[in-house]
Amino acid sequence: MIDVDGYRPNVGIVLLNADGQLFWARRVNRDGWQFPQGGMRTDETPLEAMYRELEEETGLAAHHVEVITATHGWLRYRLPERYVRRHQRPTCIGQKQVWFLLKLVGGEDALKLDACDKPEFDIWRWVDFWYPAAHVVNFKRDVYAKALRHFAPLVEELFGVVIGTTPPHDEADTPPTGPRSGRAAA
């Protein structure tokens, strides 16, 4: 399903652990890391699509998370020209996304990257709040920063921390943190 402007409806998921760190995962057979995300079906609401994508990509069910908030309206990004499939109709030029902020309420042992037939991710880790905005593939950086800026005040309130509303300038050189990470089952 592509809208009249060429954007595919999609959901993005920012998952927090109890320490306020974010779930960050590597795409299977690629160097790229990202948040869970995926397309909406024509018969789904954004919330329904979010729960489906969450389970497909992380193995987490609705009872493993608490929905804190979502962005209002769509956040859009354009695909680089090399990824636009001009031979397909309608032509998709990018994604429009509703982003959800979730908190993990169960144990991280519930994370299962191989919960579906074709896993999206092969390894994951917890990272500091602004890390993804500086490390996702270039064409998604602006939409990641917008979503995180939207969520930052709530995360500060929930965890009693000060993270600010813009990524620190030296964030690109800061390695991810978090004592735990996981892999898909072999």
Side-chain angles (χ1 to χ4, degrees):
M1 163 173 81
I2 313 264
D3 73 10
V4 295
D5 296 320
Y7 288 89
R8 178 177 174 239
N10 193 284
V11 293
I13 301 167
V14 177
L15 176 64
L16 292 160
N17 69 10
D19 297 323
Q21 295 174 311
L22 308 181
F23 176 86
W24 190 235
R26 185 178 69 186
R27 302 276 315 261
V28 170
N29 299 322
R30 300 205 180 143
D31 290 334
W33 290 69
Q34 68 177 53
F35 292 133
Q37 71 174 57
M40 290 177 55
R41 297 177 180 156
T42 56
D43 63 342
E44 288 180 314
T45 65
L47 185 65
E48 292 167 336
M50 183 277 296
Y51 279 125
R52 178 183 49 76
E53 288 292 335
L54 179 70
E55 191 157 1
E56 287 175 5
E57 296 188 4
T58 68
L60 297 175
H63 67 274
H64 294 120
V65 297
E66 174 189 343
V67 177
I68 298 170
T69 193
T71 56
H72 304 288
W74 300 104
L75 300 182
R76 291 174 171 78
Y77 69 83
R78 288 187 67 114
L79 293 166
E81 199 56 41
R82 68 183 178 274
Y83 296 131
V84 175
R85 298 178 187 139
R86 297 279 176 202
H87 62 281
Q88 290 184 346
R89 296 288 179 250
T91 301
C92 177
I93 64 163
Q95 309 247 12
K96 63 181 187 179
Q97 301 173 311
V98 173
W99 282 87
F100 290 86
L101 179 65
L102 309 178
K103 182 177 178 189
L104 182 65
V105 294
E108 65 184 37
D109 57 328
L111 286 159
K112 307 264 186 270
L113 300 184
D114 57 353
C116 66
D117 293 337
K118 288 185 146 190
E120 294 276 334
F121 304 122
D122 61 2
I123 190 171
W124 62 272
R125 61 184 171 212
W126 298 111
V127 296
D128 288 334
F129 189 83
W130 291 114
Y131 185 85
H135 291 87
V136 72
V137 65
N138 284 339
F139 64 90
K140 292 183 182 181
R141 286 188 181 173
D142 185 52
V143 78
Y144 270 50
K146 284 179 184 174
L148 291 174
R149 276 195 302 274
H150 181 80
F151 296 148
L154 280 171
V155 172
E156 288 181 330
E157 185 180 321
L158 280 172
F159 293 94
V161 297
V162 176
I163 55 176
T165 56
T166 58
H169 292 293
D170 62 346
E171 184 69 26
D173 299 324
T174 306
T177 62
R180 298 171 301 273
S181 66
R183 291 189 170 271

